[in-house]
Amino acid sequence: MKRLSIAFICMISMVLVSVAGAGTLDEVKARGYLKAGVNGDVFGFSKPDKNGEWQGLDVDSAKAVAAAVFGDATKVQFTALTAVQRFPAVQSGEVDVLCRNTTITLSRDTQNTLNFAHPNYYDGQGFLVPKKLGVKSAKDLEGATVCVLPGTTHEMNIADYFRAHGMDWKPVVIEKTAELAKAFFAGRCDVLTSDASQLAAARATAQTPTDYEMLLDIISKEPLAPAVKHGDDQWYDIVNWTIMAMIQAEEFGITSQNVDDMLKSKNPDIQRFLGVTPGIGSQLGLDNKWAYNIVKQVGNYGESFNRTVGPDTPLGLQRGLNALWIEGGLMYAMPIR
């Protein structure tokens, strides 16, 4: 009798977990589109172009989730969120996924009840200064005024850095990314600090980008990743494996241009990945063509990187840490099988 009761309880628990885990996916499908929180002010990551079309690496991450869920990367509604607004928007369900250059930290995972997917960009906090300031190192910034966003890891990191080096400084705190950059370019502060990628984006929008330089100092680790709220394992799995699918596609050599030809591949891993051999998609609650749709409509990770922030864009970023692991970088997808 006791054994039967334990079995019954386990069965009920599994059912409840299954029902809870399907919540966000069912809601998204019923609504007919994905709600994604983005920055809105960071060129190369998430910003509307002159035609009002959202572009950027983080935008591509959200589009990839839509492609996986709907088979249609256009079924996304983007909401611009400040650093202060972003976590409450996820927690309240205002957005289904946060794709907003957000750093993974222990406190955000626990206190802010977020689940982070695989990083879509490995970064570090740096410093942007006017060349005329004549500064060559962050250690030369004694007494500087520093523009920094509130509610970010940068705010804590910069305070720790100056304290650790016994230097005085004065923060200039402005909530919106674009307004913060404007304050820096207007001379309200000596230094702009943020993720190095975000500083490159800010410099690219300056009236005369060559008047500014990034110091070589990097004072933190900033692994940036999409995030969802705790409590929905299936939805987390979908977002997490979507990012890894883009990375794996690049490792396989599958691009948006050759993906149809790759359907004929004899490689069993590629057959499973593209849904030629069924099963992987259904494990996520998705169509077996989920990864095919991501690559066909959005591209692999390398395509997205090069299109949005790479060497041939105004940001001019090199792959660096964001190269594939087989090329000396950190981008490594878990086996999709």
Side-chain angles (χ1 to χ4, degrees):
M1 186 69 176
K2 183 178 180 181
R3 186 174 299 173
L4 179 62
S5 298
I6 293 174
F8 179 75
I9 291 171
C10 290
M11 180 182 71
I12 293 299
S13 297
M14 291 175 65
V15 170
L16 290 174
V17 169
S18 177
V19 171
T24 306
L25 177 60
D26 287 347
E27 290 174 9
V28 171
K29 284 185 173 180
R31 187 192 310 128
Y33 60 90
L34 176 75
K35 296 189 298 185
V38 292
N39 190 306
D41 284 327
V42 180
F43 182 69
F45 283 81
S46 57
K47 188 178 178 69
D49 62 17
K50 61 182 180 181
N51 298 317
E53 296 293 326
W54 285 91
Q55 305 290 341
L57 189 72
D58 284 336
V59 169
D60 280 358
S61 294
K63 287 181 176 180
V65 175
V69 172
F70 295 108
D72 186 345
T74 68
K75 291 190 174 183
V76 191
Q77 178 188 84
F78 294 100
T79 299
L81 301 169
T82 68
V84 174
Q85 294 169 335
R86 57 184 165 173
F87 300 144
V90 179
Q91 294 157 348
S92 67
E94 179 184 348
V95 297
D96 306 308
V97 60
L98 183 68
C99 298
R100 192 201 175 283
N101 55 299
T102 300
T103 302
I104 305 170
T105 70
L106 183 148
S107 59
R108 288 174 174 178
D109 184 21
T110 54
Q111 294 179 17
N112 293 114
T113 62
L114 299 176
N115 279 340
F116 287 92
H118 191 291
N120 67 344
Y121 194 91
Y122 289 98
D123 213 336
Q125 184 172 343
F127 302 89
L128 183 66
V129 298
K131 288 183 179 178
K132 64 182 181 181
L133 200 62
V135 172
K136 297 302 178 184
S137 168
K139 293 180 181 179
D140 298 331
L141 295 175
E142 168 71 34
T145 54
V146 181
C147 279
V148 61
L149 285 171
T152 63
T153 53
H154 313 133
E155 192 176 24
M156 180 182 294
N157 292 341
I158 191 67
D160 287 348
Y161 181 83
F162 276 91
R163 186 183 303 113
H165 290 85
M167 301 185 334
D168 292 326
W169 70 296
K170 181 181 178 181
V172 176
V173 180
I174 299 174
E175 185 173 341
K176 293 187 176 181
T177 303
E179 295 302 318
L180 187 75
K182 286 180 182 178
F184 169 67
F185 293 131
R188 286 184 56 190
C189 49
D190 303 312
V191 186
L192 177 63
T193 188
S194 187
D195 295 333
S197 62
Q198 194 164 325
L199 296 178
R203 183 174 58 181
T205 62
Q207 187 172 358
T208 310
T210 54
D211 286 347
Y212 303 90
E213 64 181 348
M214 292 173 59
L215 301 181
L216 296 177
D217 306 77
I218 297 295
I219 65 171
S220 69
K221 295 182 292 184
E222 305 290 336
L224 311 179
V228 297
K229 63 182 177 181
H230 278 176
D232 192 332
D233 290 345
Q234 183 187 31
W235 185 244
Y236 165 74
D237 287 344
I238 289 170
V239 175
N240 185 44
W241 287 101
T242 290
I243 302 303
M244 286 198 279
M246 296 180 73
I247 297 167
Q248 185 60 61
E250 183 180 10
E251 184 176 337
F252 279 147
I254 306 173
T255 70
S256 57
Q257 300 301 310
N258 71 12
V259 65
D260 288 317
D261 290 335
M262 295 296 279
L263 290 171
K264 304 170 188 175
S265 171
K266 301 302 181 183
N267 184 325
D269 287 328
I270 292 177
Q271 290 177 338
R272 281 190 292 268
F273 180 73
L274 294 178
V276 176
T277 302
I280 295 297
S282 59
Q283 292 179 34
L284 293 168
L286 303 176
D287 187 275
N288 283 313
K289 292 288 187 180
W290 69 285
Y292 167 88
N293 290 329
I294 291 171
V295 181
K296 181 69 175 179
Q297 297 181 34
V298 183
N300 67 34
Y301 180 77
E303 288 180 283
S304 176
F305 185 100
N306 291 333
R307 179 173 62 240
T308 58
V309 301
D312 295 328
T313 70
L315 272 69
L317 297 177
Q318 301 296 322
R319 287 294 291 268
L321 295 176
N322 297 292
L324 294 177
W325 66 283
I326 54 177
E327 297 172 354
L330 298 178
M331 284 299 172
Y332 181 110
M334 307 307 125
I336 299 179
R337 57 184 308 156

